[in-house]
Amino acid sequence: GRYEEAAGHIDGLLKISPDNRGMWEFRALLAVRMGENDLARQLLDEHGESDDTLLFANVRAALGMRDAGLAALEEIERRPGWFPQGYAMIAVPIGEAERALEYLERVAAAEPRLLTLATCPDDFGPIVDDPRYVALFTEAGIPLRLTAASR
């Protein structure tokens, strides 16, 4: 129900600001989370074309577009300013678990509290049972609720 509620809010914001490409990206990602992959692809087709490899990178990765996800990760690693938790959100769905864990280790080293942003099962589910993932949170003192044992 929370995704549907968020989608309703985003839809309202898009009526006010229809040129906000970042908001379209977020709406497309919500569509993926809600199992509406056709809608996500439609939004990607309508709003995702850009010279910017990073625009809609999370959506492309969540839709299983591995090559686009890898291209985005390579671009991200050349650009300053993106936070590593964001890298991990692209790496996990395209099967780059090792890379995702390395990114999360960077988060933990820089600012452990930011690991709380890496607890969404839809974004990190495939790695939540990895002992390294669990250790990052344990060492940061952040309770984990996502491991198989806790589900």
Side-chain angles (χ1 to χ4, degrees):
R2 304 293 286 169
Y3 286 142
E4 290 80 4
E5 182 180 343
H9 292 300
I10 297 299
D11 290 343
L13 291 170
L14 285 167
K15 288 178 184 173
I16 297 167
S17 182
D19 295 328
N20 186 328
R21 294 179 67 158
M23 197 63 66
W24 283 112
E25 178 181 24
F26 187 60
R27 181 59 181 93
L29 190 58
L30 281 172
V32 172
R33 298 295 182 249
M34 294 169 21
E36 298 174 349
N37 289 353
D38 290 340
L39 174 59
R41 284 186 181 87
Q42 177 187 343
L43 294 174
L44 178 61
D45 289 344
E46 293 173 5
H47 303 282
E49 290 305 314
S50 171
D51 292 338
D52 188 347
T53 312
L54 304 184
L55 189 66
F56 280 72
N58 285 344
V59 176
R60 287 184 177 92
L63 288 170
M65 298 176 178
R66 183 172 169 72
D67 290 344
L70 288 171
L73 289 175
E74 289 169 12
E75 177 67 23
I76 286 168
E77 290 172 354
R78 287 192 295 266
R79 284 191 195 184
W82 262 49
F83 58 107
Q85 183 264 349
Y87 308 161
M89 287 177 62
I90 296 169
V92 169
I94 62 170
E96 293 287 322
E98 288 300 317
R99 220 173 188 170
L101 288 163
E102 288 172 16
Y103 295 142
L104 293 175
E105 287 168 356
R106 289 185 203 170
V107 172
E111 181 52 65
R113 293 176 296 174
L114 290 178
L115 285 172
T116 59
L117 301 172
T119 60
C120 178
D122 293 328
D123 293 328
F124 297 98
I127 63 170
V128 297
D129 292 319
D130 188 296
R132 295 167 295 172
Y133 180 89
V134 174
L136 288 171
F137 286 85
T138 302
E139 290 168 15
I142 298 171
L144 268 179
R145 297 181 189 96
L146 299 179
T147 61
S150 64
R151 283 184 245 159

